Amino acid sequence: MNFKSNTFSMHPKYKRNLKRALSFGVIWFIFGLVYALLEYGLLGNSGLYPTTGNIYEPLNSFLFTLSSSFLIGFIQGWIEITWLRYKFRKKPFLIKIFFKSIFYLLFIILFLVAFTLVTNASIMKKGIFEAEIITSLTDFITSFAFWSLVFYMGVIIYLALFYSELIEHLGNEVLYNYSFGKYHKPKQETRIFMFLDMKSSTTIAEEIGHIKYFNLLKLYYSYMTNAILETFGEIYQYVGDEIVVTWPEEVGLLNNNCIECYFKIEEAIKKHEERFIKSFGLVPEFKAGYHIGKVSAGQIGVLKKEIVYTGDVLNTSARIQAECNNYNTRILISGQLKDGLSNSKNWDMDKKGEIVLRGKTEAVELYSISR
């Protein structure tokens, strides 16, 4: 994707939802194609469905099966991503899958009934509610063929939901990279890293208790989601009270996305400060360190595979973040990143000093950013 020429006319959140809903459509399309091919392999040019006696036309069957499969998948994906997953977010995996499967299966049975009416009416060139069409529908839904189709769709529903849960745990980019082997062999990239750390986290955990502190972290991270999406960031790691967000160089520098991410997170936390105070008696504060540089990216692990970035840029980002307390500032960035950013009227930048990392001779200049 060319980020320089893209106008980002659609909000990143909706773009992400659309892509995920379309992926459901693709899953259903593939299974629909398999079904249509199997059906043609069994029926060929016989001209009739043996169970119901309805007319079988291969071309029409292919068109209807593929289009309806994609449509069902897209509708399921959109319902799942924008509504139903929120209803079951706190439920165990098996309970979520069970109740969601029942919901979608009932929806699909109704869809199949409507689809059969329309298809048969089109093939027989009769009205939907004419006696012959209703009879053909009744014959179909009371046949083994219908319930075998329902079972087949139930399997697709389960696989689509499993895919959705996998995406929730791994993230879109990670699953995409695994699937297409982007990092099967190590490659070098230039990336921006933001290490964002909660202030006084140890003290907070001791004051409110570790269970309550864990719930604080869940809420704290959840309110960051839109800010990271809107600035096209990728969550690399959660390390306790610290989150590491990364951007490819071009994406992070475009419109100063990487810096804007921090301020959007700040706005999100401030917007919900009443909830934090009511639930935990405090509003979390945080600080961030930024750096840009080359990393080696690749897939490692045997028992548990993971895409890992290695390089000085990560150590430097972490060290810069640790210097925030010494300079009494919330954001510190390296001179290298400062040189790549565009001028902005939204914030001011001041040089604070420099640090020399262990084993290095060249100092890293530090700049603070404030509104």
Side-chain angles (χ1 to χ4, degrees), residues 50-327:
T51 306
T52 62
N54 292 335
I55 297 172
Y56 170 67
E57 296 180 352
L59 180 59
N60 283 337
S61 177
F62 263 84
L63 292 175
F64 275 113
T65 300
L66 295 182
S67 59
S68 62
S69 295
F70 181 82
L71 182 60
I72 290 173
F74 180 79
I75 292 172
Q76 184 201 359
W78 193 258
I79 293 173
E80 174 68 20
I81 290 159
T82 61
W83 177 60
L84 201 57
R85 71 186 177 102
Y86 295 104
K87 298 295 182 182
F88 289 89
R89 173 161 280 179
K90 296 182 180 180
K91 301 296 182 183
F93 174 77
L94 291 177
I95 291 177
K96 282 195 284 189
I97 293 292
F98 178 75
F99 283 104
K100 285 182 181 181
S101 296
I102 290 175
F103 172 84
Y104 288 121
L105 206 54
L106 290 173
F107 167 77
I108 285 170
I109 288 173
L110 292 174
F111 183 91
L112 277 176
V113 168
F115 173 70
T116 303
L117 282 172
V118 172
T119 304
N120 290 347
S122 174
I123 292 173
M124 298 180 185
K125 296 179 173 52
K126 295 180 180 290
I128 291 178
F129 299 109
E130 288 189 31
E132 191 174 351
I133 301 301
I134 298 298
T135 300
S136 68
L137 172 65
T138 305
D139 290 342
F140 179 52
I141 64 177
T142 56
S143 68
F144 176 78
F146 175 79
W147 292 107
S148 64
L149 181 59
V150 169
F151 177 79
Y152 182 72
M153 288 188 160
V155 172
I156 306 174
I157 288 170
Y158 175 82
L159 292 174
L161 288 174
F162 185 81
Y163 161 81
S164 178
E165 291 297 318
L166 201 62
I167 285 289
E168 283 289 298
H169 284 83
L170 296 178
N172 265 340
E173 292 299 323
V174 173
L175 188 61
Y176 173 84
N177 293 334
Y178 275 136
S179 300
F180 293 94
K182 183 178 180 181
Y183 294 113
H184 185 67
K185 293 182 179 180
K187 58 184 297 186
Q188 195 170 70
E189 301 176 341
T190 299
R191 282 188 166 265
I192 300 165
F193 285 86
M194 174 182 75
F195 279 63
L196 188 143
D197 182 57
M198 185 189 293
K199 288 185 176 182
S200 306
S201 57
T202 304
T203 303
I204 293 172
E206 290 175 353
E207 288 179 353
I208 68 175
H210 290 283
I211 298 298
K212 205 169 184 179
Y213 174 69
F214 185 83
N215 290 328
L216 168 64
L217 282 181
K218 286 178 66 176
L219 192 64
Y220 170 67
Y221 286 139
S222 70
Y223 287 141
M224 295 183 185
T225 303
N226 282 342
I228 295 170
L229 283 174
E230 289 172 8
T231 55
F232 302 92
E234 302 167 19
I235 297 174
Y236 174 45
Q237 286 179 336
Y238 293 103
V239 188
D241 63 324
E242 182 177 69
I243 183 173
V244 182
V245 183
T246 181
W247 294 262
E249 178 184 21
E250 185 181 12
V251 182
L253 294 180
L254 180 71
N255 299 325
N256 298 324
N257 273 326
C258 59
I259 304 300
E260 290 299 326
C261 181
Y262 178 92
F263 290 119
K264 286 180 180 291
I265 291 174
E266 193 173 59
E267 289 169 3
I269 299 299
K270 185 175 181 180
K271 180 180 177 181
H272 296 94
E273 60 183 12
E274 287 186 11
R275 181 172 181 185
F276 281 106
I277 292 171
K278 183 179 179 180
S279 301
F280 309 104
L282 58 91
V283 179
E285 297 183 352
F286 43 91
K287 55 189 185 297
Y290 287 85
H291 189 42
I292 185 173
K294 291 189 179 298
V295 292
S296 296
Q299 181 179 303
I300 64 169
V302 177
L303 295 178
K304 180 180 182 296
K305 295 187 183 298
E306 190 172 351
I307 294 171
V308 171
Y309 299 109
T310 61
D312 287 343
V313 59
L314 285 98
N315 296 328
T316 304
S317 301
R319 175 67 188 280
I320 290 173
Q321 184 262 111
E323 291 293 316
C324 285
N325 288 338
N326 295 333
Y327 290 102

